[in-house]
């Protein structure tokens, strides 16, 4: 990656390359080993909120999109049947090891699959949840469309994510970090309207989550 000083020597920065599937796999192959200690703590309160929302639903089949290293898997109540998908084999290997180590019988399957092009049948799940994934996938609206397809009508769709601030210092920092998206493995300046249409934003239940509202929980009913 070009450093800031190299860039100023060689003129203007190259145009931003989007975070495509290849970049996601490369980033999370690097992140897998250190993901839990580095990201586990800061994400824990928001993750608990999302899993609590899932746990309050009736028994049924839950799809966790971008399950990563499976940090949330031990938190689901037994009675739910959970399937996780992820693009990164290294992240999935960690999740599979957790399932075996902790005897997580409620986890039905962990599959290498693209959230934007799932192989599940229509209406195969009662709910789907994507935690810290919307700002990573190349096309978040396509992921949402796929989640809508595989969840039954009337089912629940949940997202936990960091969304760009509307202004102020936080937005300035997010924009400054944006050119490093490929190396980071997510878009720091990811906006809510990159995921939801205006109609969906009006319909969604959006709750700020700790720490300090850095993350938000978004809940949609599958129409
Ligand atoms: C920030 S991590 C979040 C992991 C997990 N949800 C958690 O709460 O810790 C993002 C995850 O999304 C996965 N991911 C990114 N794009 C994906 C896609 N198109 N399909 C499936 N998984 C994807 C990455 O491989 C990574 O494991």
């Amino acid at each position: 990656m070009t450093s800031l000083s190299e860039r100023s020597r060689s003129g203007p920065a190259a145009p931003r390359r989007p975070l495509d599937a290849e970049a996601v796999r490369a980033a999370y192959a690097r992140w897998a080993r250190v993901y839990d200690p580095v990201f586990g703590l800061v994400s824990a309160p928001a993750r608990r909120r999302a899993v609590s929302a899932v746990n309050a639903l009736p028994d049924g089949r839950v799809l966790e999109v971008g399950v990563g290293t499976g940090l949330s898997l031990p938190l689901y109540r037994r009675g739910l049947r959970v399937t996780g998908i992820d693009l990164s084999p290294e992240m999935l290997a960690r999740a599979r090891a957790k399932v075996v180590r902790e005897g997580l019988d409620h986890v039905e399957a962990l599959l290498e699959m693209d959230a934007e092009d799932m192989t599940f049948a229509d209406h195969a799940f009662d709910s789907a949840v994507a935690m810290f994934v919307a700002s990573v996938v190349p096309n978040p609206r396509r992921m949402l469309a796929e989640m809508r397809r595989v969840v039954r009508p009337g089912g629940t769709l949940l997202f936990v994510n960091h969304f760009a601030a509307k202004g102020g210092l936080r937005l300035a920092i997010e924009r400054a970090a944006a050119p490093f998206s490929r190396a980071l493995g997510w878009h720091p300046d990811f906006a809510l309207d990159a995921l939801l249409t205006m109609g969906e934003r009006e319909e969604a239940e959006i709750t700020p989550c700790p720490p300090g509202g850095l993350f938000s929980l978004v809940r949609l009913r599958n129409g």
Side-chain angles (χ1 to χ4, degrees):
M1 189 174 54
T2 316
S3 72
L4 285 173
S5 55
E6 279 165 343
R7 250 194 258 145
S8 57
R9 275 202 307 271
S10 59
R16 257 173 78 188
R17 288 172 70 202
L19 196 52
D20 53 25
E22 175 211 339
V24 168
R25 284 201 188 88
Y28 285 93
R30 290 193 304 270
W31 270 113
R33 200 170 47 84
V34 294
Y35 185 87
D36 289 11
V38 172
F39 196 64
L41 204 61
V42 71
S43 64
R47 177 190 315 286
R48 274 199 299 273
R49 295 265 176 108
V51 178
S52 296
V54 176
N55 284 344
L57 299 171
D59 286 357
R61 293 193 73 202
V62 178
L63 173 64
E64 189 178 327
V65 177
V67 65
T69 60
L71 277 170
S72 55
L73 295 176
L75 308 176
Y76 291 108
R77 70 175 175 80
R78 308 315 184 247
L80 297 170
R81 287 167 293 139
V82 181
T83 294
I85 62 164
D86 203 284
L87 211 49
S88 162
E90 289 82 1
M91 296 289 273
L92 277 172
R94 304 255 155 189
R96 290 187 180 120
K98 264 191 199 86
V99 167
V100 173
R101 200 169 54 238
E102 300 185 29
L104 305 177
D105 298 336
H106 58 296
V107 178
E108 286 192 327
L110 292 172
L111 306 168
E112 192 176 328
M113 195 186 294
D114 187 347
E116 295 182 20
D117 186 19
M118 300 188 207
T119 57
F120 302 119
D122 295 357
H123 313 161
F125 296 92
D126 298 289
S127 60
V129 56
M131 297 179 230
F132 316 104
V133 179
S135 52
V136 179
V137 294
N139 187 336
R141 286 202 182 168
R142 201 178 304 149
M143 175 183 77
L144 172 53
E146 275 293 82
M147 289 169 70
R148 283 197 182 282
R149 181 183 69 76
V150 301
V151 169
R152 66 170 169 78
T156 303
L157 306 172
L158 289 156
F159 300 87
V160 159
N161 221 87
H162 167 77
F163 297 105
K166 295 209 165 61
L169 179 63
R170 208 179 96 183
L171 180 62
I173 294 169
E174 288 161 354
R175 286 192 175 149
F180 303 100
S181 297
R182 279 179 78 89
L184 287 170
W186 71 85
H187 293 286
D189 59 343
F190 181 72
L192 182 61
D193 60 12
L195 175 67
L196 302 184
T197 62
M198 196 192 289
E200 286 168 334
R201 289 204 296 281
E202 280 165 12
E203 179 207 323
E205 213 180 278
I206 303 176
T207 320
C209 295
L214 183 64
F215 301 111
S216 299
L217 175 65
V218 176
R219 182 186 184 122
L220 282 169
R221 184 176 180 276
N222 202 24

